[in-house]
Amino acid sequence: MDIEKLEAAAAAQGTTVKSLKTSGAGKEEVEAAVAGLVAAKKALADAITAALAALPEGAPEAEALKAKLPPPPKPSNKDKKAAKDGDAAKEAARKAAEEQKLAARAKKKEAAAAKGVKEGGGKGGPAGKGADGAKPDGAASKAPAAKPNGSGAAAAAPVHAKPMSNKNYELHFGAAAPPLLAVVAARLVRQEVALRRVDPKALPSGCDSVLYLPGGSRSLRGCGAIARYFARLAPPELGAYGAAGDALSASEVDEWIEWLSASGPPAAATPPLLARLARHLRMRSFVTGHAASLADAAAWLLLRQLPAPDKACSGAGVHVARWWGCVEALPAFKEAAQLLFGAAKDAGSLEIPLPNAERGKVVTRFAPEPSGHLHIGHVKAAMLSAHFATQYEGKMILRLDDTNPSKEKGDYETAIVGDLQRLDILPAKVTHTSDYFDKILKLATKMLQDGVAFIDPSPKEEQQALRLQRKPSPHRDAAVEENLRLWAEMQAGSAEGVKCCMRAKIDPASDNGALRDPT
């Protein structure tokens, strides 16, 4: 059969399918016609492909033949369901593997804790303590915690607050503000730390902060000890603990921190600090060493708590003003100023309160449309959703908004889940909007019955013009019965129904364009 006849047969079969759909024919009859259309298009595509293969390279009629190639058939609902079931099976397998991994870690940790108690002879034995001086889980301790020493470090005590993850550093604190020097030290050495404000009763007695190391089995307590740990953690050439390989320089860092800790509140400590800095910085760019160190951070922190630190430093002489301008311009101190003091803008704070939120009950949702890959705006929304869920010990749901089948693909769903995993975002559950179509239809019907929504058959251009003019649609006050009739036509996909849309009755004259009876 030649190509023209095959093309005519495919067109005739397509007309048959359309007429069956519009006439309300039975499901089996329509499916049989669709199968015939797919077969006709395949026969046409095979014939054109064979004809193209027989033509010499560069033949002028090749382009005309290529234009006649029918587009690939759209996947049927059955194919979509099979693809979705396959993705669900993959996700279930991934979750099962993750749960097995977590269970194995927990079992290993319990075995290590039990072994530690046995070797330590039960209560209070030195061998029963962890590497950080705290007893393992399962070994109860009744010994009171030691009070912090002069540098802010506290002796080991039983940890009551548990880390929420074991992948990163977590700094738990109970006060209204985090331990300042520890946070600045982390920024100074470019170390990411998750800040967690917890109930002070959950912290060890006499301790204001606890740093959980990656893995969750070791910890440090007290602001001074945590700050020194981060400074020692940095490469020596960074100079966070004084000049590299210089014991005297490192000791000078300790001396400055202890002196500043004993100086009292900022108002009382500022005059002697500025006087000492004015003398000390005559031949130096930084307090110790050749780069900003923990000593610079401690001095900067005290001055930063003044009402007008810039004015105080500029009035203390050229050397203090030069040093102040230098440390204020460093990225680590800029970030710390935003985070701790709201410098420039308040957006730097990691502790964003949610009004009336209850710990353990917060549920967030990230709902991308699987019609493309995630972009930077998606990432921001996903990370905020994950942050609030983690901050309030709740859960985040990934809702794939699959309401536009002409643009969506299963490959994009897989890519979205994979990209979130690379961001360390593991949703508690993955759902699809299509899973709730029955409920959505019922809610939409109730909105029409209650008179808080209406069906608008106006052309799209007319709707846009009226919105710009802040005028209501002429169909806004249509009777409930008429709205329900058009709603039934929309669900049936009739010629009249496909021209309609459902709009909420809010305020057509609102200053906010998004509230002018949105679709």
Side-chain angles (χ1 to χ4, degrees):
M1 188 179 288
D2 59 24
I3 291 175
E4 286 74 14
K5 290 182 179 179
L6 289 171
E7 191 174 9
Q13 189 65 21
T15 304
T16 302
V17 171
K18 287 182 181 178
S19 64
L20 288 174
K21 285 183 176 179
T22 54
S23 64
K27 181 179 179 182
E28 293 182 359
E29 189 178 358
V30 172
E31 288 181 349
V34 170
L37 175 60
V38 171
K41 286 186 175 182
K42 186 178 184 306
L44 174 61
D46 291 343
I48 294 175
T49 303
L52 287 171
L55 289 174
E57 187 175 353
E61 58 266 33
E63 291 301 321
L65 281 174
K66 288 179 182 179
K68 293 183 178 183
L69 275 170
K74 295 181 180 178
S76 64
N77 291 334
K78 185 177 180 180
D79 294 336
K80 289 181 180 178
K81 187 177 185 303
K84 188 184 293 185
D85 290 342
D87 293 341
K90 290 180 183 177
E91 179 64 15
R94 185 192 65 77
K95 286 186 176 179
E98 187 71 21
E99 289 173 0
Q100 288 177 359
K101 191 183 294 183
L102 291 174
R105 286 179 184 168
K107 189 174 181 180
K108 186 176 180 181
K109 186 176 179 182
E110 289 174 4
K115 183 178 178 182
V117 172
K118 184 176 180 181
E119 292 177 355
K123 299 178 181 178
K129 293 186 179 181
D132 63 345
K135 295 189 177 184
D137 295 342
S141 174
K142 297 182 180 179
K147 293 182 180 180
N149 58 30
S151 65
V159 178
H160 303 288
K162 297 295 182 184
M164 296 177 66
S165 71
N166 62 352
K167 295 181 180 179
N168 304 306
Y169 288 96
E170 289 193 14
L171 182 55
H172 290 206
F173 57 96
L180 303 182
L181 187 58
V183 175
V184 177
R187 289 290 188 274
L188 187 63
V189 301
R190 303 165 196 155
Q191 182 62 60
E192 288 296 326
V193 181
L195 303 181
R196 311 282 186 213
R197 182 183 293 126
V198 299
D199 187 341
K201 295 178 182 178
L203 295 172
S205 177
C207 182
D208 62 349
S209 54
V210 178
L211 176 71
Y212 290 97
L213 277 62
S217 61
R218 305 187 69 180
S219 62
L220 288 171
R221 297 152 197 195
C223 179
I226 296 169
R228 285 177 168 87
Y229 167 74
F230 281 129
R232 292 187 178 103
L233 194 65
E237 60 271 15
L238 199 61
Y241 219 118
D246 187 346
L248 177 60
S249 181
S251 299
E252 287 178 340
V253 171
D254 291 331
E255 190 269 331
W256 272 88
I257 293 174
E258 291 177 7
W259 179 72
L260 289 168
S261 298
S263 297
T270 297
L273 171 60
L274 290 175
R276 184 176 179 181
L277 285 173
R279 296 190 303 271
H280 187 75
L281 293 171
R282 287 176 182 173
M283 300 296 292
R284 295 179 176 88
S285 298
F286 298 98
V287 175
T288 60
H290 307 293
S293 68
L294 205 56
D296 294 272
W300 174 83
L301 265 176
L302 190 145
L303 295 170
R304 246 298 175 180
Q305 296 175 67
L306 297 174
D310 294 340
K311 184 176 180 181
C313 291
S314 61
V318 62
H319 304 301
V320 177
R322 168 182 49 78
W323 168 81
W324 179 256
C326 179
V327 294
E328 278 276 280
L330 293 175
F333 290 87
K334 280 185 176 181
E335 293 172 11
Q338 269 195 2
L339 176 65
L340 302 175
F341 303 106
K345 58 181 181 179
D346 194 39
S349 175
L350 295 178
E351 294 292 322
I352 308 172
L354 290 180
N356 304 318
E358 295 183 39
R359 192 168 296 278
K361 295 184 178 180
V362 171
V363 179
T364 61
R365 184 194 67 174
F366 174 55
E369 181 181 344
S371 58
H373 295 285
L374 296 183
H375 53 65
I376 193 67
H378 287 120
V379 171
K380 177 182 177 182
M383 296 190 74
L384 279 174
S385 297
H387 169 74
F388 285 123
T390 303
Q391 179 180 339
Y392 288 94
E393 299 177 22
K395 63 181 180 179
M396 186 194 91
I397 295 173
L398 172 60
R399 168 72 61 80
L400 295 167
D401 194 12
D402 56 342
T403 54
N404 193 356
S406 63
K407 294 183 179 180
E408 292 148 10
K409 293 181 181 178
D411 292 345
Y412 289 133
E413 292 189 10
T414 304
I416 288 170
V417 173
D419 288 342
L420 292 179
Q421 288 176 351
R422 277 186 281 275
L423 292 169
D424 255 357
I425 297 175
L426 298 176
K429 186 166 66 169
V430 179
T431 65
H432 295 76
T433 301
S434 58
D435 298 338
Y436 303 94
F437 273 169
D438 291 342
K439 182 180 287 188
I440 292 171
L441 289 173
K442 289 178 182 178
L443 289 172
T445 301
K446 189 175 187 305
M447 290 177 68
L448 293 171
Q449 291 170 340
D450 293 344
V452 296
F454 67 99
I455 304 298
D456 195 342
S458 306
K460 181 180 178 181
E461 295 75 15
E462 181 181 332
Q463 292 183 33
Q464 290 176 339
L466 290 173
R467 276 177 172 163
L468 289 173
Q469 297 169 22
R470 303 193 182 194
K471 293 181 179 180
S473 167
H475 304 278
R476 192 175 196 269
D477 298 321
V480 172
E481 293 76 13
E482 175 63 10
N483 283 325
L484 292 174
R485 185 189 71 79
L486 292 174
W487 177 232
E489 294 294 330
M490 288 176 65
Q491 295 179 64
S494 68
E496 183 180 18
V498 296
K499 298 177 181 178
C500 301
C501 68
M502 182 176 174
R503 297 175 62 181
K505 290 183 180 180
I506 300 181
D507 181 8
S510 173
D511 290 335
N512 185 343
L515 299 180
R516 296 173 194 167
D517 292 356
T519 302

